[in-house]
Amino acid sequence: MQHNTLGVVHEFLRRSVQPGAFCIDATAGKGRDTALLCRLAGPEGRVLAFDIQPEAVEQTRTLLEAEGLQAEVHLDSHAHMDRYAQPETVDCVVFNFGRLPGGDPQIMTRADSSLAAIGAGLTLLKPGGVMAIALYYGGANGYEERDAVLAYVETLDPKRYTVLSCRWANRQGDPPLPVLIWKEG
């Protein structure tokens, strides 16, 4: 395992997502998480991916095609994922908040739509489902989204959700934070 946020998130997904799972990559970006979810869910599973940037949707589709993987990739906001799935039917939801690496630096996730998307994702999760968040912040992104997401997950009912938010204690700058959520069964 890589000792960084994506390594933690990917290890969590490998341990949590079973063949046949229904998964959502709410922020497709370059498609790496989408591809991982496709491999974990296998041919019997279903994966949806969302991004608001046509470039990201195209990169995701290109990666999936190159790897021989199938997913439903939508040019739409992560805040609208509940239009594509029914409540309590999803096994896993993944987010990478921040901006598309190498993309337009003016386009980034924002606290208002990200909080709406987390809420939608939690509603879609079935009991026993999981959510993984890689929270990129600082620089042009600032800290508003980070602070809003961390404050929001602290309010989740501990009888319904278990939330683990981590920070890198000895890393300089603004290292991304992994946030892992389990919906109780």
Side-chain angles (χ1 to χ4, degrees):
M1 176 179 88
Q2 294 180 353
H3 295 266
N4 59 32
T5 295
L6 283 181
V8 170
V9 167
H10 286 183
E11 184 61 26
F12 175 70
L13 296 175
R14 284 184 194 95
R15 292 173 182 262
S16 302
V17 176
Q18 302 298 312
F22 180 11
C23 302
I24 296 177
D25 181 355
T27 51
K30 293 182 177 277
R32 292 183 187 116
D33 289 342
T34 306
L36 175 62
L37 293 173
C38 288
R39 287 190 296 276
L40 295 172
E44 302 301 318
R46 179 179 178 206
V47 177
L48 302 179
F50 299 91
D51 209 290
I52 61 168
Q53 297 182 73
E55 174 186 355
V57 168
E58 183 58 34
Q59 287 180 21
T60 298
R61 288 182 176 148
T62 298
L63 177 63
L64 295 175
E65 184 177 331
E67 294 194 16
L69 300 169
Q70 297 278 331
E72 300 168 41
V73 184
H74 300 280
L75 180 62
D76 202 351
S77 171
H78 56 318
H80 301 154
M81 75 176 90
D82 58 353
R83 297 177 183 172
Y84 300 83
Q86 298 300 311
E88 297 196 339
T89 61
V90 175
D91 296 289
C92 176
V93 179
V94 178
F95 294 96
N96 280 300
F97 291 131
R99 63 181 192 85
L100 177 65
D104 183 341
Q106 301 303 313
I107 300 174
M108 62 193 78
T109 56
R110 307 273 183 203
D112 58 346
S113 62
S114 295
L115 294 181
I118 292 171
L122 293 172
T123 299
L124 295 177
L125 280 181
K126 62 175 62 169
V130 297
M131 180 178 288
I133 301 169
L135 188 54
Y136 293 83
Y137 62 95
N141 293 23
Y143 302 94
E144 179 186 357
E145 183 179 43
R146 177 202 64 188
D147 296 346
V149 167
L150 294 175
Y152 178 77
V153 299
E154 287 178 5
T155 69
L156 295 177
D157 181 352
K159 292 180 181 148
R160 296 188 65 211
Y161 302 99
T162 297
V163 179
L164 175 64
S165 63
C166 308
R167 70 178 184 87
W168 301 100
N170 65 343
R171 303 262 168 101
Q172 299 299 310
D174 297 314
L177 306 175
V179 179
L180 311 175
I181 301 173
W182 294 262
K183 186 170 186 176
E184 299 303 325

